[in-house]
Amino acid sequence: MANARIQVPASLSQGEVFEVRVLIRHPMETGLRHNDIGQLIPQNVIHLLTCRYNGVEVFRAELFPGVAANPYVSFFTTAVASGELEVSWTDDGGQTGTERASVMVLPRS
Amino acid sequence: MTHKGMSRRELLGAAIAPLFVSGLTREIAAADIPQHIQALIVEATGGVTPSRGKVKLTLPAIAESGNSVPLKLQVDSPMTAESYVRSIHIFSARNPRPVIARFHLGPQSGRAEVNTRIRLAGTQEVFALAIMSDASAWLGSTGVVVTAAACTDEKQEQQRNDPTPRT
Amino acid sequence: MVSSRSLSRRAFLVRSAAVSGGLMVGVCFPKAVLAKKAQKAAAALGPEVTAWVLVNPDDTILIRVARTEMGQGSFTGLPMLIAEELACDWKQVRAEYASTTEHLRRDRIYKDMLTGGSRSIRDSHEYLRKAGAAARTMLITAAAQKWGVPPAECTAASGVITHGSSKRTVKFGAVASDAAKLDIPQDVPLKDSREWKLIGQPVARFDIPDKVTGKTAFAIDTQLPGLVYAAIAQCPVFGGTLKSAAADKISSKPGIVKVVPMDNAVAVVAEGSWWHAQQALKELPIEWNLGDNAKVSSASIMEFLRGGITAKEAPVSRQEGDIDKAFTAAAKVVEAEYYAPYLEHATMEPQNCTVYILDGRVEVWAPSQNSEATAALTAEVTEIPVSKVEVHKVHIGGGFGRRGLVLDFVRQAATIAKAVPGKPVKLIWSREEDIQHGYYRPVALVKMRAALDATNQPTAWYVRQADQSIFNAVRPEAIKNGIDSIGVRTFSDAPYAFPNIRMEYAMRNTHVPPGPWRAVAHTHNPFFRECFIDELAVTAGQDPYQFRRKLLAKATRDLGVLDAVAKAANWEKALPAGVHRGIAVQDAYGSYTAAVAEVSVSDKGELKIQRLVIGLDSGYVVNPDSVRAQVEGCVVYGLTAILYGEITIKEGRVEQSNFHDYPMMRIAEMPKVEVVLAPTGGFWGGAGEPPLAPLAPAICNAIFAATGKRIRSLPLKHHDLRKA
């Protein structure tokens, strides 16, 4: 896995509710651990994660240190049109990341 | 590094606590919910008292280390434009930081279900609060036993009965 | 109540084992045979009066044990607590492990299953005695109802209920079914300790006979039809990962089932025997990403620790008075630096685990100090609900803290079992893997300085610890202000009345994984403290025993056990030529201990420990035979470490690998041990770990008396003991 992975179903039919699974590589440093000489390692977690579907925000998560390292989040959204899912995130250190996945939405038969 | 709203929460807690407690005793045993969690609930709902129900929180009954515990949240809602889940908040009774996550949904979500993995600092109750589009609030909770924490839990070392001064 | 398959099988096993007085586990029969035997067994087994106590129609009693027997005697001691209040005939009592599945299904009815921290008796005595009292009350009530008399007119003793006025009697077995239907009374008043008939009596242990005859089935003995074996190689450098394993080089060899790569290890699964798997593993080409930690050595670790000692500031763990003033005014100042190395647990039974996934259920056999954790971890890795996980609880071949907190071998075995579906897998670590992949008693370097005034009174004590934190590795949120609250024990809670104290804790964490080794910080910290107090006594020109007495004037329990040991050792009496003494006192895990060592050192520097007198005040003593054995066991474990124990690091990895370079002491080296049990009552302290605490300092103080050489680091094998 590079930095992140998004999993969506291979193909969807119009109006179908589907699951989006996101896994991001990130230590989610709690701010409670100490380094080798006993100093607190500053908190650094992904605090915001958003998903835009063809540019429209369909999901937003505020995450805190209580979320496990290499955060995994799954949520649901409705297949409105073919296009792109874009998951973006920001951590306490100001680092940002983005991962994209295509969605293919077939008309309902 | 502090999340915004901390001082606001304290303020809210002080102002709204009496309101909240009386509401709680009607619908939920207030004793089940620690004070600091009650304050967080009040802040999230804007003062609306939550009812028990609609929220299903699934966690393993027992976890070995508390480092990565799978959590499933499901809220009973049609998820239509007229009636949907606006947000779901997860609180931990005993973690150093009680707010674990907040999820924001909308009618386009189609289903009010979120999965994630959380950290638990020891055996405790986890709470999930769902706030609906009509501003109503629903609360669910479940307990998780964390076995590794027990090993180093300071299940209080025998208090020395001698009067010799020490820290 | 005996409807679940697993309970029925266990009931059968217990029934057949009851005849031999032991507990047989790890034997698996085909399903059909099981069902038939289970039906027979179910009929023979009596009802649960409470979850802890079954009373059979033939008056035999089955008491359930939640914690794990690892040689410390809990499998007998815990039932004694229940039996005392139950008022049964002890000769009729058998013990079995509580089922983890049942425990979880019944909302953790057996409370805590973790075995460690010398907690088994002291944490559970109250609820176990209450369980016994409740069961007794229910049995009496049932008898009274049968007779139509008030229960208050009935008493129970030795398994018989008597109605006072009419003298009618009935045995427990006859009223058990009726008793089982009653509500369980909460909070039945418990006996006063002066009324105890069983607690405090030496009792033959349930686990020993089978261990002596070799009948006991440990997890490593598990045999199952179709069992396959797994050998594992883990990355030699802590923190490194697996880069590649050329499975194709061995997978076509006969009997090789699978090669299972993991994040930092690779396992080979084979049919026939573990040896076969291990041989194949040796031929498997493996590449590791060793990582930066490959540069670490014992020398670099020492330098790193020294940085903690020389750092300008460090978090303060204790402060009283004004030490700067006291040192300025001092007539004499004593300063010394002490060191202790890493230690590995070296359990006799190496890490192993058998996992069998079948039909959406999983069974697991593991030498775990916490069967609940075993269940939780197995469920997590196999993704099978914990209600379908059956933990076969077994006696374990040593624990010492290695297998309560970290169940890495369970995680590995479950991972391997998933890779070979339908086959039961037994994973065993070689001794080399065991020694080199431990969770070690951390290394520590300590500097101490103390002041004496013109009248040789101690006035100030300064301590700077450079210490690796266990909490930071396992429970970082427990650390406050940079201080590991376990790491500072014996210093921050020292009972000595120094008017001016300053203690500082410089956390120094290396890549070597730390873990709780029997007595944890009460292994090296007492060595540092009690040897240094001795240095002060010598500088003050005072007898080390009397010197301590004055400083412990207000610490009544420490003083009490110190006095008891000095008396038993005849401290005032002159010793034969060539024999010298040392003394130490320490509290740990709720108990108070002290030791006197008598040693002689030959001209060639050969040490002989002539005699060890060890005292323990644990408040109460449940089974004195067991507690004595624990003190002696602590001597074996502790003395091994004192004489030889050392784990060294080179190129990021542990240098030692087996008992040739991480030796155990031999029988011929075992000194005479006199145990002074001095329970003063009114509190419940532990017995499994505390007796380790005063050993190293008592011995090293005696060596000083014999040779004039002050031992400030362990193990002793590095020291030339010829006279200074």
Side-chain angles (χ1 to χ4, degrees):
Chain A
M1 184 181 75
N3 263 349
R5 185 171 67 204
I6 310 180
Q7 276 182 295
V8 295
S11 76
L12 296 154
S13 52
Q14 182 71 31
E16 184 182 343
V17 173
F18 67 100
E19 187 177 22
V20 180
R21 294 189 282 182
V22 180
L23 179 63
I24 306 172
R25 193 201 293 277
H26 193 283
M28 298 294 277
E29 198 58 70
T30 59
L32 297 168
R33 292 196 317 133
H34 295 75
N35 64 10
D36 61 346
I37 56 171
Q39 298 164 327
L40 272 176
I41 301 170
Q43 175 178 315
N44 187 8
V45 302
I46 292 175
H47 59 256
L48 183 65
L49 181 134
T50 55
C51 179
R52 304 183 100 77
Y53 180 0
N54 290 341
V56 177
E57 183 179 288
V58 294
F59 177 75
R60 183 159 44 95
E62 293 170 68
L63 305 179
F64 297 77
V67 174
N70 298 324
Y72 171 78
V73 180
S74 89
F75 55 92
F76 286 79
T77 195
T78 310
V80 294
S82 292
E84 192 178 73
L85 276 175
E86 182 189 83
V87 175
S88 311
W89 59 91
T90 313
D91 74 11
D92 295 331
Q95 295 274 63
T96 58
T98 307
E99 191 67 29
R100 294 179 180 84
S102 304
V103 283
M104 173 132 70
V105 180
L106 302 167
R108 241 192 314 217
S109 45
Chain B
M1 232 172 350
T2 54
H3 289 275
K4 66 173 187 329
M6 196 119 94
S7 54
R8 194 183 70 186
R9 177 187 70 212
E10 284 162 30
L11 270 171
L12 269 175
I16 295 171
L19 207 86
F20 177 71
V21 167
S22 63
L24 269 184
T25 50
R26 249 189 296 123
E27 275 144 319
I28 307 164
D32 290 345
I33 307 174
Q35 283 281 57
H36 66 297
I37 303 296
Q38 293 185 27
L40 289 169
I41 292 173
V42 165
E43 184 196 10
T45 68
V48 172
T49 308
S51 308
R52 281 272 184 195
K54 291 203 193 288
V55 176
K56 187 168 171 209
L57 180 54
T58 309
L59 283 156
I62 179 162
E64 193 249 344
S65 77
N67 283 338
S68 181
V69 186
L71 178 152
K72 183 191 286 287
L73 268 170
Q74 294 159 299
V75 185
D76 178 14
S77 160
M79 297 305 278
T80 62
E82 295 75 38
S83 174
Y84 61 93
V85 176
R86 227 188 255 284
S87 61
I88 313 174
H89 309 255
I90 309 183
F91 304 122
S92 139
R94 285 185 60 204
N95 279 6
R97 274 61 151 275
V99 182
I100 291 183
R102 303 184 197 272
F103 302 107
H104 301 273
L105 310 178
Q108 77 290 340
S109 299
R111 194 194 309 185
E113 178 179 326
V114 177
N115 286 273
T116 188
R117 294 189 298 226
I118 66 172
R119 289 172 162 136
L120 290 175
T123 297
Q124 61 183 293
E125 198 81 1
V126 181
F127 298 87
L129 173 73
I131 301 175
M132 309 305 216
S133 48
D134 67 358
S136 67
W138 299 85
L139 190 67
S141 71
T142 193
V144 181
V145 170
V146 181
T147 62
C151 225
T152 50
D153 230 354
E154 298 285 279
K155 236 180 254 182
Q156 299 337 309
E157 285 297 339
Q158 176 75 31
Q159 277 316 311
R160 295 172 58 90
N161 297 319
D162 296 323
T164 312
R166 70 188 54 79
T167 46
Chain C
M1 229 172 305
V2 285
S3 53
S4 79
R5 181 198 82 159
S6 57
L7 186 55
S8 307
R9 182 168 70 220
R10 191 171 309 99
F12 160 71
L13 289 170
V14 165
R15 201 69 200 147
S16 62
V19 176
S20 60
L23 182 68
M24 285 194 323
V25 292
V27 183
C28 195
F29 295 93
K31 268 193 180 143
V33 180
L34 270 175
K36 223 163 155 199
K37 292 188 185 213
Q39 268 169 1
K40 249 177 112 186
L45 208 56
E48 253 188 30
V49 178
T50 74
W52 295 96
V53 178
L54 276 76
V55 179
N56 298 317
D58 64 357
D59 301 311
T60 54
I61 312 267
L62 186 63
I63 296 183
R64 290 185 171 137
V65 178
R67 314 234 182 197
T68 300
E69 173 65 59
M70 45 190 185
Q72 86 284 43
S74 299
F75 196 67
T76 310
L78 295 170
M80 283 172 74
L81 292 167
I82 291 178
E84 176 68 64
E85 291 287 342
L86 181 57
C88 61
D89 177 2
W90 178 253
K91 288 194 286 296
Q92 299 281 48
V93 172
R94 300 287 179 267
E96 77 164 1
Y97 283 121
S99 152
T100 310
T101 319
E102 284 298 290
H103 168 73
L104 292 171
R105 191 181 67 79
R106 295 163 77 171
D107 268 327
R108 304 185 79 225
I109 195 168
Y110 296 106
K111 305 214 186 263
D112 199 350
M113 292 196 151
L114 170 69
T115 316
S118 302
R119 289 190 193 291
S120 294
I121 300 270
R122 64 190 176 123
D123 272 8
S124 51
H125 72 89
E126 195 172 333
Y127 59 78
L128 290 182
R129 288 189 292 145
K130 288 211 166 116
R136 181 195 74 235
T137 304
M138 290 156 78
L139 289 159
I140 288 177
T141 305
Q145 282 175 357
K146 210 157 140 169
W147 293 325
V149 303
E153 291 177 9
C154 305
T155 54
S158 290
V160 179
I161 299 157
T162 306
H163 179 228
S165 49
S166 69
K167 301 278 182 277
R168 271 175 293 183
T169 64
V170 70
K171 288 195 183 161
F172 278 8
V175 292
S177 309
D178 292 332
K181 298 188 184 108
L182 300 171
D183 285 338
I184 300 173
Q186 306 298 319
D187 280 316
V188 177
L190 298 174
K191 288 184 188 178
D192 182 272
S193 58
R194 285 163 295 186
E195 301 171 85
W196 288 339
K197 295 199 166 59
L198 185 61
I199 294 176
Q201 299 306 311
V203 157
R205 277 172 43 177
F206 293 138
D207 60 312
I208 288 180
D210 278 358
K211 282 175 177 171
V212 172
T213 59
K215 246 176 149 179
T216 304
F218 295 93
I220 201 172
D221 298 320
T222 305
Q223 283 301 324
L224 295 165
L227 187 68
V228 294
Y229 303 85
I232 194 165
Q234 300 167 89
C235 182
V237 176
F238 303 109
T241 56
L242 179 69
K243 187 167 170 184
S244 70
D248 51 296
K249 292 280 189 294
I250 63 162
S251 50
S252 53
K253 285 162 130 17
I256 300 304
V257 174
K258 192 113 187 217
V259 174
V260 183
M262 291 170 245
D263 279 343
N264 62 351
V266 57
V268 172
V269 185
E271 290 166 343
S273 68
W274 179 80
W275 184 87
H276 192 55
Q278 177 73 353
Q279 293 306 108
L281 179 64
K282 285 187 182 159
E283 293 180 38
L284 176 66
I286 307 173
E287 277 189 281
W288 305 104
N289 295 316
L290 296 176
D292 287 334
N293 292 324
K295 298 187 218 129
V296 178
S297 66
S298 282
S300 70
I301 289 174
M302 180 60 99
E303 217 183 295
F304 177 55
L305 291 172
R306 185 155 303 291
I309 298 297
T310 56
K312 238 174 160 179
E313 281 170 0
V316 177
S317 60
R318 181 173 176 186
Q319 184 153 244
E320 281 148 47
D322 183 344
I323 58 155
D324 292 326
K325 216 162 139 190
F327 276 116
T328 313
K332 291 178 194 157
V333 172
V334 179
E335 186 169 305
E337 207 176 80
Y338 280 76
Y339 168 77
Y342 285 113
L343 293 174
E344 210 274 315
H345 295 78
T347 52
M348 192 187 294
E349 178 189 10
Q351 312 317 326
N352 68 87
C353 182
T354 301
V355 176
Y356 188 10
I357 302 173
L358 189 67
D359 301 334
R361 307 179 61 88
V362 55
E363 297 183 52
V364 54
W365 292 254
S368 159
Q369 289 172 234
N370 187 345
S371 48
E372 243 188 328
T374 306
L377 186 53
T378 305
E380 180 194 320
V381 176
T382 60
E383 294 176 298
I384 288 172
V386 78
S387 57
K388 293 193 161 41
V389 175
E390 181 173 353
V391 174
H392 292 274
K393 198 151 165 165
V394 289
H395 297 334
I396 72 177
F400 313 119
R402 171 59 177 89
R403 9 210 208 198
L405 197 56
V406 182
L407 299 176
D408 43 355
F409 46 97
V410 174
R411 183 179 287 279
Q412 290 165 351
T415 303
I416 296 167
K418 274 171 83 177
V420 291
K423 295 188 202 292
V425 180
K426 179 170 13 176
L427 166 71
I428 306 177
W429 289 19
S430 65
R431 179 58 62 185
E432 289 77 12
E433 285 294 318
D434 201 283
I435 300 268
Q436 296 177 337
H437 296 278
Y439 287 81
Y440 305 85
R441 195 285 302 273
V443 70
L445 187 61
V446 177
K447 178 161 108 171
M448 288 174 282
R449 204 179 334 130
L452 296 167
D453 67 15
T455 64
N456 280 317
Q457 293 309 310
T459 55
W461 186 16
Y462 169 77
V463 175
R464 165 69 70 90
Q465 291 178 266
D467 189 75
Q468 180 164 5
S469 165
I470 297 175
F471 268 143
N472 192 51
V474 304
R475 207 166 161 235
E477 64 272 9
I479 297 177
K480 301 285 181 275
N481 303 320
I483 293 175
D484 183 315
S485 57
I486 287 180
V488 292
R489 293 258 170 83
T490 84
F491 290 121
S492 66
D493 56 358
Y496 293 117
F498 280 77
N500 303 284
I501 291 179
R502 186 180 170 88
M503 293 171 171
E504 295 164 351
Y505 181 89
M507 189 186 292
R508 288 295 182 271
N509 301 319
T510 71
H511 78 300
V512 178
W517 190 96
R518 187 177 188 174
V520 199
H522 292 94
T523 53
H524 48 347
N525 286 353
F527 162 61
F528 304 152
R529 184 187 94 183
E530 287 296 294
C531 286
F532 187 70
I533 292 291
D534 217 64
E535 293 200 48
L536 263 193
V538 168
T539 307
Q542 290 177 31
D543 170 274
Y545 167 46
Q546 294 303 331
F547 185 76
R548 284 174 172 81
R549 290 202 88 253
K550 278 183 261 170
L551 289 171
L552 291 172
K554 296 216 181 85
T556 38
R557 288 197 173 118
D558 297 79
L559 191 53
V561 72
L562 181 65
D563 283 343
V565 163
K567 184 162 175 218
N570 289 319
W571 184 268
E572 317 298 340
K573 198 162 154 227
L575 283 166
V579 182
H580 302 266
R581 289 184 178 107
I583 196 166
V585 64
Q586 180 64 57
D587 72 286
Y589 299 97
S591 290
Y592 302 83
T593 70
V596 167
E598 290 177 9
V599 313
S600 53
V601 181
S602 74
D603 292 332
K604 293 205 198 82
E606 292 148 341
L607 170 71
K608 179 149 175 70
I609 301 174
Q610 305 285 355
R611 182 188 184 205
L612 276 177
V613 182
I614 303 175
L616 175 69
D617 179 4
S618 54
Y620 297 109
V621 170
V622 175
N623 186 350
D625 258 1
S626 228
V627 176
R628 278 178 202 283
Q630 280 295 274
V631 177
E632 290 164 0
C634 276
V635 172
V636 179
Y637 206 68
L639 195 49
T640 291
I642 292 164
L643 294 173
Y644 306 118
E646 183 181 41
I647 291 288
T648 53
I649 308 293
K650 186 174 168 187
E651 289 168 14
R653 61 200 80 190
V654 170
E655 288 191 274
Q656 290 70 29
S657 61
N658 209 316
F659 293 121
H660 65 295
D661 54 14
Y662 192 68
M664 300 288 114
M665 63 179 279
R666 301 295 209 266
I667 286 181
E669 296 171 295
M670 182 69 177
K672 184 161 176 284
V673 179
E674 290 158 45
V675 179
V676 178
L677 294 184
T680 56
F683 67 97
W684 292 76
E689 293 165 287
L692 253 172
L695 283 180
I699 291 167
C700 292
N701 290 340
I703 290 173
F704 175 80
T707 64
K709 282 200 164 157
R710 183 55 72 179
I711 307 295
R712 296 195 178 112
S713 69
L714 292 172
L716 285 174
K717 70 178 180 187
H718 289 313
H719 293 276
D720 177 353
L721 298 183
R722 284 170 296 183
K723 273 194 174 28

